[in-house]
Amino acid sequence: MRRSTAGWGSGLLGVIIFSGSLPATRVAVGGFTPLFLTAARAVIAAALAAALLALLRQSRPARRDLPSLAIVALGVVAGFPLLTALALQHITSAQSVVFIGLLPLATALFGVLRGRERPRPVFWLFATVGSLTVAGFALWQGGGASLTGNLLMVLAILLCGLGYAEGASLSRRLGGWQVISWALVLALPVMAVAALATMPDDWTGIAVPAWAGLGYVSVFSMLVGFVFWYRGLALGGIAGVGQLQLLQPAFGLLLAGLLLREPVAWTMIAATGLVVLCVAGAKRFA
């Protein structure tokens, strides 16, 4: 019981940290291209991760773990950041952040496929209702949003769900922060080349908010958040703790409204209330 509670607590901290990712990305793409932003955030996070691994003298992962680390890198180091950055050129962060509510269902599905978890049938009822609530809210609020932006967000969710489930399974052997750290180090050569190839020609015109957005997604979204998130998934279960991300749209919309002055529909309150009930039910029957 204490292990499960610790997992849900750690997962909630991860969700709170991740909630600032899309608003920060929205700000950052105002000064950087999506390709450079994706590569730069990975390079900065990888440098921090490599220093942490060396300082704490962590053993290298076994050869059998490399394919799983590559999947994690594809999903959360490259795929999700790039696709969301591209999407945010077409839609607002308030519109994009609601799609995150579909991530728990994707994570749970990949948890069954990759993590061999078997949640009870009632769990799927709560997970589906929560996801449909968020999807319906997304359609209601973003009816005029770009189809391209929406499709990019759906693809981002699928890749991220795969990366979350794979990383959580691997965390049981390597540890949560070690998984994201080794995935970042594994992706570093490719990301470093990409960063050099796409770096801005002129740095003088980049505003302070764009630098702040890059800093947040590099340190918190790409590294610190995963320390808590993968630990939570490993301790509390991929399918169950993954449902906490149903709360992320509410946190993200709040930030989008407060920090970016983007319009937030009043129906967010009703949708958030239903989502909270679904998270509670999913926790009970995971």
Side-chain angles (χ1 to χ4, degrees):
M1 179 64 70
R2 275 185 286 181
R3 178 182 174 89
S4 176
T5 301
W8 282 78
S10 183
L12 181 60
L13 284 174
V15 167
I16 292 172
I17 292 171
F18 289 150
S19 296
S21 298
L22 290 178
T25 300
R26 174 73 172 175
V27 172
V29 293
F32 304 104
T33 66
L35 283 173
F36 176 77
L37 178 63
T38 300
R41 65 188 281 181
V43 170
I44 294 170
L48 296 174
L52 193 60
L53 289 168
L55 182 64
L56 298 180
R57 299 182 179 180
Q58 296 297 299
S59 301
R60 292 183 181 180
R63 183 170 297 180
R64 66 190 176 100
D65 294 329
L66 294 181
S68 291
L69 286 172
I71 292 175
V72 173
L74 174 65
V76 303
V77 176
F80 183 77
L82 177 59
L83 290 172
T84 52
L86 290 171
L88 285 166
Q89 291 188 317
H90 302 277
I91 57 180
T92 68
S93 64
Q95 290 167 337
S96 68
V97 79
V98 182
F99 282 88
I100 300 300
L102 300 175
L103 188 51
L105 189 58
T107 304
L109 290 171
F110 284 116
V112 170
L113 295 174
R114 302 294 301 176
R116 297 183 178 86
E117 293 193 351
R118 294 295 181 267
R120 284 183 272 180
V122 181
F123 163 84
W124 294 108
L125 174 63
F126 282 107
T128 302
V129 170
S131 297
L132 289 176
T133 298
V134 173
F137 182 69
L139 291 174
W140 185 89
Q141 178 182 293
S146 163
L147 176 61
T148 300
N150 289 343
L151 289 176
L152 286 169
M153 283 304 303
V154 171
L155 290 174
I157 293 304
L158 291 175
L159 276 179
C160 193
L162 175 60
Y164 279 172
E166 194 71 28
S169 297
L170 196 56
S171 293
R172 293 164 183 163
R173 293 201 303 272
L174 298 183
W177 72 269
Q178 291 92 335
V179 167
I180 188 60
S181 295
W182 285 118
L184 285 164
V185 170
L186 183 66
L188 179 58
V190 174
M191 290 301 184
V193 171
L196 290 174
T198 58
M199 61 190 306
D201 295 325
D202 181 17
W203 299 88
T204 58
I206 300 173
V208 172
W211 284 108
L214 174 60
Y216 188 91
V217 297
S218 300
V219 178
F220 293 98
S221 304
M222 199 81 267
L223 183 60
V224 177
F226 280 103
V227 174
F228 296 104
W229 182 239
Y230 277 147
R231 180 176 181 270
L233 292 175
L235 292 177
I238 298 170
V241 173
Q243 298 308 298
L244 283 170
Q245 288 206 303
L246 286 170
L247 301 174
Q248 189 169 328
F251 295 143
L253 285 170
L254 181 62
L255 289 172
L258 291 177
L259 300 181
L260 304 183
R261 297 291 188 268
E262 293 183 353
V264 177
W266 64 268
T267 49
M268 181 189 75
I269 299 174
T272 300
L274 181 55
V275 162
V276 169
L277 293 176
C278 290
V279 171
K283 182 181 186 298
R284 172 69 176 79
F285 294 102

